[in-house]
Amino acid sequence: MAQLKTLEPQLIGGVFRSSAPVGIRLAMRLLRRVPRPCREAARQLISLLYWPLTAKTKILLISLVASVTLLGLAEAGGALGPSPDADRRWALAHLFSADAELSGVSLSLLQDLAGLIVLTVVFVTPLFCCQQVQAIADFVQMNERNGGGTRLSPEQIRRHDTLVRKTNAWFRMLGRRSVSAGIMVAAATGTIALYAFVNAHGLMETWNPTALPDAVWRDEVYAGWWANWHTHREMAVALCAAGTYAFHFLVKQLVMGVVFTGYLYRSAALGFGVTPNMRFDSDGFQGLRPLRRFMLWTYGSALAHLIGLLVLFMVWLPASPWMVFIVLGVMLVDMAVIVYPSSIGYHFALDVKKAHVESLYASGLPSDECDAAVARIWSTPVLPVTTRKAVTGIGLYLLAPAMPALIQVLFQHL
């Protein structure tokens, strides 16, 4: 049987494809100027030092450099640690003080707990996207190794390969420079708009622990903020650049998830879906370890993004009723690209198990052996993530929106 065509989600961006380090390519070009007798020896030496950069390595290096640069700018601008001015107090220190007089509020980078959470989500977003790209790329090969392609007729194989070509065409279009540039412009526009809102309305209005008017409190907090446009302009630019970077990857991640969901629905209808290996458990999860990795990273990504969104819209910005619709919208999108694909995979894998059980009963095995084999089959979860973990993750996801509100009520009653 011909090998099925594989998905290529790495086409959504050049950073998701392995490449040689820039320094190696430059060294190879400079070798042209080396005298011919020494050129081959130098080429062999460079080849020994050759280290192809994987997508994960590149993203980790970018996040590391960006994080160190941000900390360096904050240290150089005096916005990293607490203010040396004795008259300036940490914003949350006013919570435990009965004095309503504000001579100055300090909110440096290391004091801004909400900011640290937002920045953490910003720098791990590309990593979530990268892990999902790698897992989707393994999907067809995983099911083919587990025997999912043996039941397909030549016509079904042809239709599946056509579906894969169309899906890869969507991935390729998402990775075009013009589309990527458009996403980057949209991400930058949204980030700058959010920052302009903060610049105009201040910070932490809803979390005012003093008896002063909210307008006075939020202005004082913004005046001592580490990314204040008027006092730390370089940090404001760095924050907007980091936000643009994260939103760019987030948009591509969501679109890639929608495209993969469409492929999964159509491929399952063709008879090629999530297929556990019913004859040989090669990886402890009936051959579905790549699917487990995809599910865990996807659930973790959804929870991290929701927490970052809540911190942004309910801690930094003044909480308003209309923000509930933003949170609900994000949750609905996550349901569409997480719960729905999981449901498709679950039902297909369940049908595979049922068919295998029926084949065992029809094989003529002794009753004791057949019952033991069937018991082993049903003792393992249908999908490579147990129901307990899935329910726990969904529960945390649904409870996350309530946490900032509960903490706010607690602060107000202390």
Side-chain angles (χ1 to χ4, degrees):
M1 184 186 69
Q3 187 176 9
L4 298 175
K5 290 187 177 297
T6 60
L7 296 171
E8 298 178 359
Q10 60 271 20
L11 296 174
I12 68 171
V15 71
F16 299 108
R17 296 188 287 271
S18 299
S19 61
V22 176
I24 296 296
R25 293 197 297 267
L26 178 61
M28 287 298 185
R29 286 197 297 268
L30 293 177
L31 279 179
R32 300 172 184 173
R33 303 179 182 180
V34 175
R36 188 174 296 275
C38 302
R39 187 180 304 172
E40 187 61 30
R43 181 176 284 110
Q44 292 295 331
L45 178 62
I46 293 176
S47 298
L48 291 176
L49 300 175
Y50 177 77
W51 178 42
L53 293 178
T54 63
K56 184 177 179 180
T57 301
K58 288 188 287 186
I59 288 175
L60 289 175
L61 287 175
I62 292 173
S63 296
L64 177 62
V65 172
S67 302
V68 172
T69 302
L70 187 67
L71 293 175
L73 289 174
E75 175 64 24
L80 181 61
S83 173
D85 189 352
D87 295 331
R88 302 185 70 86
R89 299 168 59 191
W90 182 28
L92 294 182
H94 290 275
L95 175 68
F96 306 101
S97 174
D99 184 11
E101 297 294 332
L102 290 179
S103 58
V105 178
S106 172
L107 194 63
S108 63
L109 178 59
L110 297 182
Q111 292 176 326
D112 187 4
L113 302 181
L116 293 175
I117 293 175
V118 170
L119 289 174
T120 300
V121 174
V122 162
F123 291 125
V124 300
T125 293
L127 181 60
F128 284 132
C129 186
C130 178
Q131 294 292 342
Q132 288 179 310
V133 165
Q134 294 177 351
I136 292 175
D138 293 338
F139 182 79
V140 174
Q141 295 175 340
M142 174 192 73
N143 292 312
E144 195 172 16
R145 286 193 302 267
N146 295 340
T150 56
R151 296 171 298 173
L152 298 180
S153 65
E155 175 61 19
Q156 287 176 312
I157 293 175
R158 185 191 65 79
R159 292 171 60 188
H160 174 267
D161 289 346
T162 301
L163 175 61
V164 169
R165 281 193 290 268
K166 292 180 179 179
T167 304
N168 288 337
W170 281 102
F171 290 146
R172 188 176 293 105
M173 184 181 67
L174 185 59
R176 289 178 182 173
R177 292 184 178 179
S178 57
V179 176
S180 297
I183 294 174
M184 185 68 74
V185 171
T189 302
T191 303
I192 293 173
L194 284 174
Y195 185 85
F197 187 89
V198 173
N199 188 45
H201 297 87
L203 281 175
M204 299 176 63
E205 176 183 337
T206 313
W207 299 73
N208 182 7
T210 70
L212 295 176
D214 290 340
V216 176
W217 164 258
R218 71 190 187 191
D219 291 341
E220 289 290 339
V221 175
Y222 181 74
W225 189 37
W226 58 272
N228 187 324
W229 173 258
H230 306 285
T231 57
H232 302 292
R233 188 159 297 186
E234 70 285 350
M235 294 301 298
V237 173
L239 178 61
C240 290
T244 301
Y245 172 75
F247 279 126
H248 176 263
F249 280 97
L250 180 59
V251 170
K252 287 204 169 188
Q253 180 182 1
L254 292 176
V255 176
M256 178 185 66
V258 172
V259 173
F260 178 65
T261 301
Y263 161 81
L264 189 61
Y265 174 78
R266 292 177 175 83
S267 66
L270 289 173
F272 184 81
V274 175
T275 306
N277 193 331
M278 305 308 302
R279 300 187 180 278
F280 176 66
D281 188 0
S282 59
D283 56 11
F285 297 98
Q286 294 184 310
L288 298 179
R289 185 174 288 273
L291 179 62
R292 172 183 170 83
R293 185 176 73 246
F294 174 76
M295 295 177 68
L296 293 178
W297 280 102
T298 302
Y299 294 161
S301 173
L303 185 60
H305 290 146
L306 182 63
I307 292 174
L309 183 72
L310 292 173
V311 168
L312 176 62
F313 283 100
M314 299 184 70
V315 179
W316 270 0
L317 304 181
S320 302
W322 59 268
M323 293 181 181
V324 175
F325 295 100
I326 294 180
V327 174
L328 290 177
V330 172
M331 293 180 72
L332 288 176
V333 171
D334 287 336
M335 293 293 180
V337 299
I338 297 175
V339 177
Y340 181 59
S342 298
S343 175
I344 296 174
Y346 175 86
H347 286 94
F348 195 94
L350 182 61
D351 291 339
V352 172
K353 283 199 169 187
K354 288 180 178 179
H356 185 69
V357 169
E358 292 176 359
S359 68
L360 288 177
Y361 281 119
S363 64
L365 288 174
S367 178
D368 294 342
E369 294 183 12
C370 184
D371 291 342
V374 171
R376 284 195 300 270
I377 292 173
W378 294 120
S379 65
T380 58
V382 177
L383 292 180
V385 176
T386 61
T387 304
R388 184 189 307 171
K389 291 183 178 180
V391 171
T392 301
I394 294 174
L396 290 174
Y397 186 76
L398 295 177
L399 288 175
M403 294 305 296
L406 293 176
I407 296 174
Q408 178 190 353
V409 173
L410 177 63
F411 276 9
Q412 291 175 347
H413 286 79
L414 287 176

